[in-house]
Amino acid sequence: MDAEVTDDLAHERTEDIEIRLLLDALYYRYHYDFRDYAMASIKRRLRQGRQQLGFASFSAMQDALMRDPDMLPRLLGFLTVQVSEMFRDPSYFRAIREKVVPHLRTYPSLKVWIAGCSAGEELYSMVILFREEGLEERTLFYATDINPEALRAADTGIFSLDRIPLFTENHRKSGGRHSLSEYYHAAYGRASFDKSLRRKVVFSDHSLVTDAVFGEMHLISCRNVLIYFNRSAQDRALGLFEGSLVRKGFLGLGAKESLRFSSHAGSFVDFVREEKIYQRSAQ
């Protein structure tokens, strides 16, 4: 092994140690736990953050995190992925509309949990869907995320106007019963969604890695969050979902996520296999 390769390996090992110490500092100082997130993803995001924030090393980032409270939201901005769109994967929402909603109609009241709600795109999609299906009035929606800035953004219901054509097309493909334009007004390059859509929503800071069971839910939608966790954290989150669902409640995951290798797989049955929608067993 030549000297250059040896130096590269030593640098990689040093970087890994610095990252783990940084994540330890984030947990022990602020109680945000990213230690069981997929390391390749965490490393990629932290490298981007280090470069953009102008730090020479991850140790320097750790020092700033310990001494400067303003560093926390900046770091969380890189560690939490805020990439979504309204009615993303329209066939998923069509399956909720056509296959899940008929079961939900049988309940006098409903609770829906959007876990990892990001800036609110999936939350507003679900509220609009429930309004169109006549279930909004009997439903309480819980929107959770670990990033306070994301929750604040979700609570505003404001999105860039240039995103609306995609949102509109997704809504149409999902089986939308009305025009999406009925739910927002546009001004100054932004689309502001109607405040009434938030009337039945509770926003809450919640971590799937460290926090407890959440309510007794009839539907949990957590899409494209578990892919950023390692196997242990995925299993813990799925255990939370199992414990948070009523019997025969529904769980929706992202296209690249699965219950298959989880210790909780036996507690669910495939409901709409192709859309990763599962139903908790009746036992």
Side-chain angles (χ1 to χ4, degrees), residues 237-249:
L238 291 169
L240 278 184
F241 297 151
E242 179 191 350
S244 299
L245 279 170
V246 300
R247 292 178 180 179
K248 304 192 80 172

Side-chain angles (χ1 to χ4, degrees), residues 8-272:
D8 286 345
L9 288 174
H11 175 74
E12 187 82 12
R13 280 195 286 267
T14 299
E15 192 176 68
D16 287 347
I17 292 170
E18 287 185 310
I19 287 174
R20 293 195 179 279
L21 290 173
L22 172 60
L23 296 180
D24 281 344
L26 180 61
Y27 174 68
Y28 288 114
R29 178 72 174 84
Y30 296 104
H31 308 294
Y32 286 97
D33 196 351
F34 289 87
R35 297 172 299 173
D36 282 331
Y37 279 53
M39 184 51 67
S41 175
I42 285 289
K43 188 181 294 187
R44 183 173 62 252
R45 292 185 235 164
L46 285 176
R47 282 174 173 164
Q48 181 185 16
R50 187 187 67 186
Q51 182 179 20
Q52 292 191 22
L53 296 174
F55 289 101
S57 67
F58 294 116
S59 293
M61 289 179 71
Q62 178 190 333
D63 185 65
L65 180 67
M66 296 297 290
R67 300 173 187 277
D68 180 6
D70 291 338
M71 181 63 183
L72 176 62
R74 298 166 76 189
L75 185 59
L76 287 178
F78 291 100
L79 287 173
T80 56
V81 179
Q82 307 297 329
V83 180
S84 189
E85 60 195 48
M86 288 189 69
F87 295 95
R88 181 180 182 179
D89 303 321
S91 58
Y92 170 82
F93 286 94
R94 183 177 283 275
I96 295 289
R97 190 186 297 272
E98 296 178 353
K99 305 287 181 63
V100 176
V101 161
H103 290 264
L104 298 181
R105 290 191 197 282
T106 64
Y107 293 94
S109 62
L110 295 164
K111 290 183 179 180
V112 174
W113 178 13
I114 308 299
C117 72
S118 187
E121 292 92 338
E122 183 147 332
L123 167 67
Y124 289 100
S125 302
M126 200 67 76
V127 177
I128 288 170
L129 188 156
F130 273 56
R131 177 174 292 188
E132 292 179 341
E133 298 301 323
L135 293 178
E136 182 190 13
E137 286 302 314
R138 71 174 88 166
T139 305
L140 191 59
F141 299 88
Y142 294 85
T144 67
D145 203 277
I146 62 170
N147 188 336
E149 293 298 324
L151 289 172
R152 278 190 280 273
D155 194 23
T156 68
I158 296 174
F159 302 96
S160 174
L161 199 57
D162 61 11
R163 303 181 69 194
I164 295 301
L166 175 60
F167 293 176
T168 300
E169 181 63 10
N170 285 350
H171 175 245
R172 184 188 66 78
K173 290 179 178 177
S174 77
R177 300 187 184 277
H178 306 287
S179 169
L180 190 66
S181 62
E182 294 185 19
Y183 304 107
Y184 69 86
H185 64 270
Y188 306 107
R190 301 188 299 177
S192 180
F193 279 78
D194 197 298
K195 290 181 180 179
S196 67
L197 294 170
R198 300 190 288 281
R199 186 171 53 87
K200 306 277 288 183
V201 177
V202 176
F203 292 97
S204 180
D205 186 337
H206 184 274
S207 170
L208 297 175
V209 175
T210 59
D211 290 336
V213 166
F214 205 77
E216 269 210 338
M217 302 294 158
H218 300 85
L219 168 64
I220 298 173
S221 190
C222 180
R223 303 171 67 230
N224 308 304
V225 175
L226 300 187
I227 55 173
Y228 298 106
F229 293 176
N230 66 18
R231 184 63 58 81
S232 172
Q234 288 179 8
D235 211 55
R236 185 189 191 281
L238 291 169
L240 278 184
F241 297 151
E242 179 191 350
S244 299
L245 279 170
V246 300
R247 292 178 180 179
K248 304 192 80 172
F250 296 92
L251 170 64
L253 300 180
K256 296 180 180 179
E257 298 166 336
S258 176
L259 281 168
R260 182 176 300 174
F261 302 108
S262 167
S263 64
H264 302 281
S267 300
F268 292 87
V269 295
D270 289 328
F271 188 74
V272 185

